[in-house]
Amino acid sequence: MENKKEALDKLKKEMEDDKELPLYGQANLVFGEGNSEAEVMFIGEAPGFHEDKFMRPFVGQAGKLLDKLFVLINWPRESVYITNIVKRRPPENRDPLPEEIEAYKSYLKKQIQVINPKIIATLGRFSMNYFLPDFKISQSHGKGVILRGKIIYPLYHPAAALRATAILKELEADFKKLPTLLKNYDNVKAEAKIE
Ligand code: URA
């Protein structure tokens, strides 16, 4: 049987060949990277300039902060999986359009299905609202929500934390809760009585 790594490689190839995807031909595919067996998946919004250039998620300024946050909790970056909702850079880093989010959805869904993480940590409001449409980031960050057997854990976007020290403090505090959240995953799930 195909393992997770092979399934992800196949999915990436499918995406590369899908000419119907918005932003095809305008920007590089930034599929995602990390441990295909990861228990925690981090999902951002869309690639920026550096991500497009290197075809890797979170390698610019926001990515450098993300790297520091992983150091803070002693999680090697390679132990998790990192990707975005929209997998090509929107021009001038504009917000992803609803139709772009929709078009990339089936691939993200498959990517999540393959990895099957326990926790999905969303970075920023676009990613949070993908899973939890009516939630507000200021109220919901750092509070896990169970959805279809996984914990959705909303986090501020690291780029927002780079702009405001108060947000950075919140993001650090929320990050520090991740190891315990993962350790307690089964209990949290059982308490919520969700399969
Ligand atoms: N911001 C995102 O949302 N994703 C990246 O990969 C980089 C910056």
Side-chain angles (χ1 to χ4, degrees):
M1 210 186 73
E2 188 181 59
N3 67 30
K4 290 188 180 190
K5 169 91 176 58
E6 287 162 352
L8 289 174
D9 287 346
K10 200 163 124 193
L11 188 63
K12 183 178 176 188
K13 182 83 186 54
E14 254 178 67
M15 284 196 87
E16 279 166 350
D17 294 342
D18 186 348
K19 298 185 176 59
E20 300 298 314
L21 277 174
L23 306 169
Y24 178 92
Q26 296 173 42
N28 287 318
L29 180 70
V30 182
F31 181 73
E33 66 180 21
N35 180 3
S36 47
E37 306 284 337
E39 292 184 312
V40 186
M41 196 168 169
F42 288 79
I43 306 183
E45 181 178 314
F49 175 84
H50 293 93
E51 290 74 25
D52 177 57
K53 187 169 165 195
F54 295 106
M55 298 168 77
R56 293 180 57 207
F58 285 97
V59 290
Q61 287 308 311
K64 289 203 170 72
L65 174 55
L66 194 58
D67 289 350
K68 281 189 200 160
L69 292 164
F70 286 131
V71 171
L72 188 70
I73 60 171
N74 273 316
W75 281 9
R77 178 177 162 128
E78 304 71 40
S79 69
V80 302
Y81 195 90
I82 305 174
T83 191
N84 285 298
I85 299 277
V86 169
K87 298 190 196 315
R88 281 193 180 88
R89 182 193 180 204
E92 311 299 325
N93 293 351
R94 64 152 168 72
D95 289 344
L97 303 173
E99 55 267 33
E100 289 166 348
I101 295 174
E102 191 56 36
Y104 280 85
K105 194 173 187 162
S106 65
Y107 290 102
L108 178 61
K109 246 175 131 166
K110 277 192 213 154
Q111 209 174 16
I112 295 170
Q113 255 169 25
V114 170
I115 297 166
N116 194 22
K118 294 179 174 175
I119 298 176
I120 294 177
T122 59
L123 297 164
R125 76 189 157 91
F126 278 93
S127 176
M128 177 188 70
N129 287 151
Y130 174 92
F131 297 97
L132 309 166
D134 300 323
F135 280 53
K136 297 264 175 291
I137 191 102
S138 54
Q139 288 157 20
S140 310
H141 70 90
K143 293 180 202 150
V145 174
I146 301 215
L147 189 69
R148 282 178 232 116
K150 304 191 188 316
I151 297 177
I152 309 296
Y153 189 59
L155 294 169
Y156 278 114
H157 196 290
L162 288 171
R163 292 191 292 266
T165 313
I167 304 265
L168 175 61
K169 295 288 158 225
E170 302 266 25
L171 181 57
E172 285 173 347
D174 294 344
F175 238 81
K176 284 186 190 162
K177 290 195 244 165
L178 268 166
T180 310
L181 190 65
L182 180 58
K183 217 165 25 182
N184 291 343
Y185 167 82
D186 290 324
N187 299 337
V188 172
K189 240 180 76 169
E191 260 172 48
K193 298 195 175 53
I194 290 176
E195 286 311 305

